[in-house]
Amino acid sequence: MRVLLVGAGGVGTAITRIAARRDFFDHFVVADYDLARAEAAVAAVGSVASAGSAGPATAVGSAGSAGSVDGAGGRFSARRIDASDQDAVTALLTEERCDVLLNATDPRFVMPLFEAALAAGSHYLDMAMSLSRPHPERPYERCGVKLGDEQFARADAWAASGRLALAGMGVEPGLSDVFARYAAEELFDEIEEIGIRDGANLTVEGYDFAPSFSIWTTIEECLNPPVVYERERGWFTTEPFSEPEVFDFPEGIGPVECVNVEHEEVLLVPRWVDARRVTFKYGLGDDFIGKLKTLHALGLDATEPVTVRGEDGTPVRVSPRDVVAACLPDPAALGSRMTGKTCAGTWVKGTRDGRPREVYLYHVVDNQWSMREYGSQAVVWQTAINPVVALELLATGAWSGTGVLGPEALPPRPFLDLLTAYGSPWGIREDGTEAASTV
């Protein structure tokens, strides 16, 4: 298997470090708009050797320029690519003979990368789906364009190509969806509600506000109208931060107030798993919510460029959200200042053998462990391990399919077993008792 990884930020770099310990692939091409960042990700996986240069950096729109770093015995190489340039990405996939494109960019670039993979005849994986657009008149009641709608609209073309687009294969969405399918297959006869619940007790020394994940993506999912699914109503929306509840997270994290936010699981799970209700709630905290509301009130969450004066007085067009991201610390660089654990999981309520049952399937990562073992902070590492596991399952044939699928469309047990084999076990809590992942 030859893989084109687009995006060498925190998650992309963690992906290379995890994949470097596995032998299911022949080569990873690590590509980023910033060639130096792609080279740094490659250099971090192992030995660094000069492979020469393929020539000077080419302009945006080319198939991409080659880097001079070759890592882990020649299994990784660096290239420059503009993720928004579909034709250039298609050309790079073809030139490098890549079997699959793994998208580790933010959701703005989903569609050009998704279409490039289809055009090149490659498989495709991402960790976040195509962007939503609120209903123009009733944004807090009805869905407009939903997360993933643009991708599912192309499902027939993907099926006809014989290729797989595996959408939402991070941790949330991703592992959380695998948990939902596992619960439906092995733990429940009927499911009343599936609720993804995410919480942490992470702290970052020296910062009053330092999100542990991309602020661009965080703003998008937290300030958009949250989507809820109910069998009788279908998909509908609510006010941001609605339906607060206190959820008790395992392994010492404890009670955290969680609220509704927009997330892919609510759009994916009901397509393949029968449940009366599906929700996603995130443990944000009052301070974090307050800062997000302030950004919104000031218009700093906007993505449309505004005109400001540049350094020489010349008008420059910039996106307010990009400015916010540039002013905040890089989440990937926070690991050394971060302490605590992060938990991703799926709470399921229903019946088994005629009796009520309620379980929480979860995955916890301690930042001290992920920094010591991989040099990656807990949140980006927890996101990164799941697409690597999925790639290995595709490489071995344990997972296969065509069209546009979510993780819950595929058998869950091979994934959960391999996740444990990677040294990152999952757990189940039932009636307040935690159990190991040997169910």
Side-chain angles (χ1 to χ4, degrees), residues 244-384:
E245 67 175 57
V246 175
F247 192 85
D248 188 18
F249 288 91
E251 298 195 19
I253 296 174
V256 178
E257 185 175 80
C258 298
V259 293
N260 280 326
V261 301
E262 180 188 51
H263 232 254
E264 285 90 343
E265 291 93 328
V266 179
L267 288 311
L268 286 171
V269 170
R271 297 175 186 268
W272 288 281
V273 178
D274 186 19
R276 190 189 65 80
R277 194 169 197 261
V278 182
T279 58
F280 181 98
K281 293 188 180 182
Y282 197 8
L284 295 172
D286 290 340
D287 181 66
F288 198 97
I289 290 173
K291 286 182 169 65
L292 290 175
K293 287 181 175 179
T294 298
L295 290 175
H296 179 65
L298 296 174
L300 294 175
D301 61 324
T303 58
E304 287 298 316
V306 298
T307 301
V308 300
R309 288 188 179 275
E311 188 174 351
D312 61 357
T314 304
V316 177
R317 298 281 287 169
V318 296
S319 159
R321 193 184 299 185
D322 287 343
V323 172
V324 172
C327 291
L328 290 173
D330 179 0
L334 295 175
S336 62
R337 292 174 171 264
M338 188 182 292
T339 57
K341 299 176 181 179
T342 184
C343 179
T346 303
W347 167 76
V348 187
K349 180 181 179 181
T351 59
R352 177 74 166 192
D353 298 326
R355 295 177 144 188
R357 190 178 197 187
E358 197 170 325
V359 304
Y360 182 58
L361 302 96
Y362 65 89
H363 184 252
V364 172
V365 178
D366 187 312
N367 187 74
Q368 185 177 9
W369 176 86
S370 64
M371 287 296 295
R372 182 180 67 249
E373 292 292 319
Y374 288 90
S376 297
Q377 58 103 320
V379 176
V380 299
W381 188 90
Q382 188 182 47
T383 303

Side-chain angles (χ1 to χ4, degrees), residues 21-39:
R21 301 188 183 189
R22 309 298 295 184
D23 61 5
F24 66 87
F25 66 94
D26 299 309
H27 196 79
F28 254 77
V29 179
V30 183
D32 196 277
Y33 189 81
D34 181 348
L35 178 58
R37 191 161 72 162
E39 291 176 331

Side-chain angles (χ1 to χ4, degrees), residues 23 48 67 98 100 116 126 141 161 167 174-175 202-203 229 242 301 305 308 310 321 326 335 340 423-424 439:
D23 61 5
V48 178
C98 290
V100 59
D126 63 31
E141 298 175 37
S161 76
L175 178 57
L202 296 168
T203 59
Y229 172 83
S242 57
D301 61 324
V308 300
R321 193 184 299 185
S424 188
V439 176

